[in-house]
Amino acid sequence: MSSYSFAFLELESSGHRNEIRLHYRTKSQQAHTEVFPYILADNQWHKVSIAVSASHVILHVDCNRIYERVVETPSMNMPGDTTVWLGQRNNAHGSFKGIMQDVQLLVMPQGFISQCPDLNRTCPTCNDFHGLVQKIMELQDILAKTSAKGIMQDVQLLVMPQGFISQCPDLNRTCPTCNDFHGLVQKIMELQDILAKTSAKNGTVQCETLICPPLQCAPDSVLAYVNGACCKECQPMCIFSGRVYLDEERQAMFTSSGVCLLHECRLSRAEEKMNSLDQCYCERTCNAKGNVYRAFESWTDGCKNCTCMNGTVQCETLICPPLQCAPDSVLAYVNGACCKECQPMCIFSGRVYLDEERQAMFTSSGVCLLHECRDRTMRRITYPSCPELNCATSQQITLGNSCCKVCKGYDFCADGHRCMDHSECVNLEAGACCSCKDGFRALREDNAYCEDIDECAEGRHYCRENTMCVNTAGSFLCICNTGYIRIDDYSCTEHDECMTGQHSCDENALCFNTVGGHNCMCKPGYTGNGTFCKDIDECATGRHGCASDTVCFNLDGGYDCRCPHGKNCTGDCIHESKIKHNGQIWVLENDRCTVCSCQSGLVMCRRMVCDCENPTVDLFCCPECDPRLSSQCLHQSGQMAYSSGDTWVQNCQQCQCLQGEVDCWPLSCPKIECEFTVIPEGECCPRCVSDPCQADTVRNDITKTCTDEHNMVRFTGSSWIKHGTECTLCQCKNPPRIIRAHGILDPFDNFLIPKNE
């Protein structure tokens, strides 16, 4: 949903980054994006629902609850000009690449239940009930076979239809109640208890024939009986004269002269020699980034100390030692090193510059003076003439370290960067920065070095029932447990009820296998709860596309448009009060990139297909076909073009051009551990500040307390006016300590106004 000026609420699926994104505006009218990692673009049908209730957001995929989060409360003040778009965010955005059906916008509590009615069950279904009945019958059968004695009571011989109902009146009901279900569960528990006690009775020996497990032997072994065992086992063998011999078996052969030659299969002696080789020490080396390291050898890899242990590389985060620099030096990062080192510096106009850093300054007459830090002194240097720019003056950017301007969208990363392992360079408006790749976290504050996030160990995965999480570089895999089959990328089940036909879906419904059960959904053209589906009469309900000169005939799961006998049906369409002939194609007057056609009385519209081989293609709708441009996407401002694969930052979002489509996602920020944070103007990520008055966000731990001057316990973050004063404000800090600020308290806003002293 969007208004004339901005997007109000949007649900987006990104197959490029395997994400589901919820875009919305908060109550303070700030744009916000909530990202849910999930793979939808797998060429399979999926049922997706997003439920928003105040600050509570629940995402269901295929009737499985995938995410449940508390977010900043979305704004529900819907503007009067709000419009709903399906498959695109506005009239200028490209079409959705995929297929959608049965899209609903519901204003009701727990609207996802309309898509997945089984999620609202508090009582069992008939299938659940009958499954328990079968379980009881199996337990009773085992109990009868196990017990040597039995007791009977209340034996009746009835001559009447369904006489068993007199003994079991509940069998006269079609489906069970909750009491029936809970009673059966209790019955199973009782039978299992009786069975355990009965099987433990003394004096009764119960035997069953041993079932030998099937074995697969190696090519040099064969199944054979061994002493003291019932079942065959894999035994070493010899092949001699086309016959198989076990270890220590002999074969006598006579020559033509009558001499006896005795042969014996002696594999055990060979095994003894092989066992003696196991006592030899074999060193296992490690391979890392093309280098071979010996056992127990250590090395430094970026921001990690690594050691080769038994053929496996084990790494730990490098701990940087504390350094004290000389007064004319400062701690700074250097190329190829993880930790900061003391570097010579210059101080110029109250700012610190490292060696070879530059600063451009302009005089009142517009002359540029370029200074460079050399040998701890800022020296004025000359600079070569600036290259001619091929962009408008309004698109030119002035840089702080150069006298030459550049065009917006300049590739600063191509000039060189310090981004190392698992980090990538990102172009900003007037420079570049490093950003950790997806699935990695920063090892230092500039994001130049990053390490893999173990989603499995940290619980940041979404592997569901019957799976095992396996960490991979930048991601993870959900592996099915032994004996289970896969439902999707994140969950497995013991068997597929839809595949085996053990489901309760109507013949006109689709079956979706789930963990421990299944869900049913009526096919298009039918309505119902999935277990019962009936045909939709499109003709009676007006949900058809027949032309005005044809007659609608309802069919199972659809409809047919037929021409009345004796009439000549043209199949013409009426679009925006104008007659369009059958087969006619036209372009919308208010959207030159949308093509419509009349097909047998039905108007169908779609975005223009870009054929770059066609010399008459509209370059406004197909900028990727413009040979004069070196790119395929337009910047959000509409004044800049990018090539497919190019990335840029816009409004604190990372954007990428993908074959004419712009995909944007929130810029990832490094995690910081501090109490007061602020997002400086022109930046996207928070920074730590020590002054709480400058902070945008304050993080307090209310489990820690302070004791004030009157021995009263105060929670961390709480503030109060010191007793007997009017200008001293106290606050409990974390770790527990009391700070005092002097000023005048505003009686209306309870803010401390600093005094001018």
Side-chain angles (χ1 to χ4, degrees):
M1 294 186 294
S2 63
S3 67
Y4 179 77
S5 55
F6 54 78
F8 178 72
L9 183 66
E10 178 184 349
L11 184 63
E12 176 191 10
S13 170
S14 173
H16 168 61
R17 294 178 58 84
N18 293 325
E19 294 175 346
I20 301 174
R21 304 174 191 149
L22 176 65
H23 307 280
Y24 65 91
R25 301 190 76 84
T26 64
K27 285 189 174 181
S28 58
Q29 295 304 311
Q30 298 295 319
H32 182 76
T33 300
E34 197 71 20
V35 178
F36 305 94
Y38 200 87
I39 300 176
L40 278 182
D42 57 359
N43 202 28
Q44 300 291 329
W45 277 104
H46 292 287
K47 295 195 292 183
V48 181
S49 72
I50 188 82
V52 181
S53 176
S55 60
H56 198 197
V57 175
I58 303 177
L59 174 66
H60 283 85
V61 179
D62 297 329
C63 297
N64 293 315
R65 179 175 296 189
I66 305 299
Y67 289 101
E68 184 172 1
R69 294 181 182 173
V70 176
V71 300
E72 191 172 352
T73 305
S75 173
M76 291 302 171
N77 295 325
M78 192 178 300
D81 60 348
T82 299
T83 55
V84 178
W85 296 89
L86 185 63
Q88 58 194 79
R89 62 168 55 100
N90 50 49
N91 59 356
H93 185 266
S95 298
F96 167 74
K97 294 178 175 60
I99 304 174
M100 291 186 289
Q101 69 176 20
D102 192 22
V103 180
Q104 303 180 47
L105 184 62
L106 304 175
V107 183
M108 58 179 292
Q110 296 182 328
F112 55 83
I113 294 176
S114 64
Q115 187 184 57
C116 306
D118 285 347
L119 295 180
N120 195 32
R121 286 191 334 194
T122 57
C123 289
T125 63
C126 287
N127 286 340
D128 299 332
F129 185 81
H130 297 153
L132 284 180
V133 172
Q134 182 66 28
K135 182 66 175 179
I136 287 180
M137 295 174 64
E138 293 173 358
L139 286 172
Q140 288 176 329
D141 184 56
I142 295 173
L143 182 60
K145 294 178 180 179
T146 305
S147 302
K149 298 179 180 180
I151 301 175
M152 292 188 295
Q153 67 177 18
D154 193 20
V155 179
Q156 301 179 42
L157 181 62
L158 302 175
V159 183
M160 57 180 291
Q162 295 182 329
F164 55 83
I165 294 178
S166 64
Q167 187 182 50
C168 307
D170 286 344
L171 295 180
N172 200 27
R173 284 201 303 262
T174 304
C175 284
T177 64
C178 283
N179 290 335
D180 299 331
F181 187 81
H182 297 151
L184 283 178
V185 173
Q186 183 65 30
K187 183 67 174 178
I188 288 179
M189 296 174 63
E190 294 174 358
L191 285 171
Q192 289 175 330
D193 184 58
I194 295 173
L195 182 60
K197 294 178 180 178
T198 305
S199 300
K201 288 183 178 180
N202 296 326
T204 301
V205 177
Q206 299 177 1
C207 299
E208 294 181 356
T209 302
L210 181 64
I211 299 176
C212 296
L215 296 177
Q216 293 291 334
C217 297
D220 58 351
S221 300
V222 66
L223 281 175
Y225 292 112
V226 295
N227 293 334
C230 173
C231 297
K232 290 183 177 181
E233 299 178 4
C234 291
Q235 298 294 312
M237 69 172 182
C238 301
I239 298 179
F240 182 66
S241 298
R243 179 183 163 189
V244 174
Y245 294 85
L246 298 179
D247 193 28
E248 298 183 358
E249 280 190 342
R250 297 181 177 183
Q251 175 64 47
M253 300 184 67
F254 292 88
T255 65
S256 57
S257 59
V259 178
C260 178
L261 303 177
L262 186 62
H263 300 81
E264 184 180 36
C265 182
R266 296 181 178 179
L267 294 174
S268 57
R269 297 184 182 181
E271 289 182 355
E272 291 177 0
K273 293 184 178 181
M274 292 297 296
N275 291 334
S276 64
L277 293 177
D278 290 340
Q279 300 175 3
C280 298
Y281 173 72
C282 297
E283 182 178 357
R284 300 186 63 183
T285 59
C286 301
N287 290 280
K289 295 184 177 179
N291 298 320
V292 178
Y293 298 94
R294 299 190 62 179
F296 307 109
E297 184 178 356
S298 298
W299 67 97
T300 300
D301 184 7
C303 285
K304 288 182 174 293
N305 285 327
C306 300
T307 304
C308 180
M309 300 294 293
N310 195 28
T312 303
V313 178
Q314 298 181 1
C315 298
E316 294 181 351
T317 303
L318 183 67
I319 300 177
C320 297
L323 297 177
Q324 293 291 333
C325 298
D328 57 353
S329 301
V330 66
L331 282 174
Y333 291 117
V334 296
N335 290 335
C338 174
C339 298
K340 290 182 177 181
E341 300 178 4
C342 291
Q343 298 293 310
M345 70 170 182
C346 304
I347 298 179
F348 183 66
S349 297
R351 180 183 164 188
V352 174
Y353 294 85
L354 297 178
D355 204 29
E356 297 185 358
E357 281 191 340
R358 296 180 176 183
Q359 176 62 49
M361 302 184 68
F362 291 87
T363 64
S364 57
S365 58
V367 178
C368 179
L369 304 178
L370 187 62
H371 300 80
E372 184 179 70
C373 179
R374 292 180 181 175
D375 300 327
R376 295 180 170 86
T377 304
M378 290 295 287
R379 306 176 187 272
R380 182 178 173 183
I381 62 173
T382 58
Y383 60 92
S385 59
C386 298
E388 184 179 353
L389 301 179
N390 58 355
C391 58
T393 305
S394 60
Q395 296 298 310
Q396 297 177 5
I397 301 174
T398 301
L399 304 178
N401 61 351
S402 174
C403 289
C404 298
K405 296 182 178 181
V406 297
C407 293
K408 286 185 177 180
Y410 181 80
D411 190 357
F412 296 97
C413 295
D415 294 340
H417 56 82
R418 295 183 176 182
C419 306
M420 303 298 290
D421 297 339
H422 311 303
S423 177
E424 56 188 1
C425 183
V426 178
N427 284 306
L428 301 177
E429 186 75 11
C433 70
C434 298
S435 177
C436 292
K437 296 179 181 179
D438 290 338
F440 296 86
R441 68 161 63 91
L443 287 172
R444 65 186 202 187
E445 59 268 22
D446 62 352
N447 290 351
Y449 289 87
C450 305
E451 67 174 350
D452 175 54
I453 299 174
D454 190 340
E455 294 87 354
C456 301
E458 299 181 12
R460 301 176 61 175
H461 62 88
Y462 37 98
C463 295
R464 297 179 61 81
E465 293 87 345
N466 309 318
T467 64
M468 178 179 61
C469 181
V470 177
N471 187 58
T472 61
S475 185
F476 62 92
L477 293 174
C478 302
I479 307 300
C480 289
N481 293 336
T482 304
Y484 290 83
I485 61 174
R486 182 172 300 282
I487 296 178
D488 51 35
D489 289 337
Y490 315 106
S491 55
C492 305
T493 186
E494 50 274 283
H495 63 278
D496 192 337
E497 297 177 351
C498 299
M499 186 70 67
T500 58
Q502 298 176 337
H503 60 80
S504 58
C505 299
D506 189 89
E507 62 179 353
N508 295 315
L510 300 174
C511 180
F512 296 91
N513 194 47
T514 62
V515 177
H518 63 277
N519 287 320
C520 306
M521 184 177 68
C522 293
K523 296 178 180 178
Y526 296 88
T527 183
N529 60 5
T531 57
F532 172 76
C533 300
K534 67 176 182 179
D535 174 59
I536 299 175
D537 191 340
E538 293 87 354
C539 301
T541 58
R543 298 169 62 177
H544 62 85
C546 295
S548 56
D549 54 357
T550 61
V551 178
C552 177
F553 282 86
N554 185 59
L555 302 175
D556 285 341
Y559 62 92
D560 187 22
C561 302
R562 302 176 185 177
C563 185
H565 181 69
K567 288 189 177 182
N568 182 20
C569 299
T570 61
D572 293 342
C573 307
I574 298 178
H575 182 257
E576 296 181 350
S577 302
K578 296 180 181 179
I579 296 178
K580 303 292 183 180
H581 297 296
N582 187 20
Q584 182 178 349
I585 301 175
W586 68 97
V587 177
L588 292 182
E589 296 179 358
N590 58 351
D591 184 3
R592 57 189 279 189
C593 299
T594 299
V595 180
C596 298
S597 62
C598 176
Q599 300 180 11
S600 301
L602 182 63
V603 176
M604 303 184 67
C605 298
R606 58 172 173 80
R607 297 288 293 180
M608 179 183 295
V609 177
C610 296
D611 181 10
C612 296
E613 301 296 329
N614 185 0
T616 63
V617 64
D618 191 340
L619 299 181
F620 176 81
C621 303
C622 303
E624 64 268 29
C625 299
D626 192 344
R628 298 168 299 175
L629 299 177
S630 60
S631 60
Q632 298 180 340
C633 295
L634 288 177
H635 188 269
Q636 286 87 340
S637 62
Q639 300 177 352
M640 191 180 307
Y642 292 97
S643 300
S644 181
D646 286 351
T647 60
W648 66 95
V649 175
Q650 173 73 14
N651 294 332
C652 295
Q653 286 194 322
Q654 179 76 43
C655 299
Q656 186 175 21
C657 176
L658 298 170
Q659 299 179 352
E661 290 287 337
V662 177
D663 189 18
C664 297
W665 56 92
L667 194 67
S668 58
C669 294
K671 186 177 181 181
I672 56 178
E673 295 291 341
C674 53
E675 185 175 3
F676 304 115
T677 58
V678 63
I679 300 179
E681 185 176 357
E683 298 186 15
C684 301
C685 296
R687 293 188 177 184
C688 296
V689 293
S690 57
D691 187 357
C693 298
Q694 297 179 355
D696 295 331
T697 304
V698 178
R699 186 184 68 180
N700 295 316
D701 185 359
I702 63 172
T703 62
K704 298 182 179 180
T705 59
C706 302
T707 303
D708 64 10
E709 62 272 16
H710 299 290
N711 291 324
M712 291 183 60
V713 177
R714 304 278 186 173
F715 288 113
T716 300
S718 61
S719 302
W720 67 96
I721 302 299
K722 186 177 180 181
H723 181 69
T725 68
E726 295 181 356
C727 301
T728 301
L729 177 68
C730 301
Q731 185 181 31
C732 181
K733 300 276 289 184
N734 183 13
R737 58 191 177 95
I738 297 177
I739 62 171
R740 295 181 175 88
H742 297 277
I744 303 173
L745 188 65
D746 188 325
F748 297 99
D749 294 330
N750 289 332
F751 290 152
L752 192 70
I753 304 173
K755 294 176 62 178
N756 295 323
E757 297 180 352

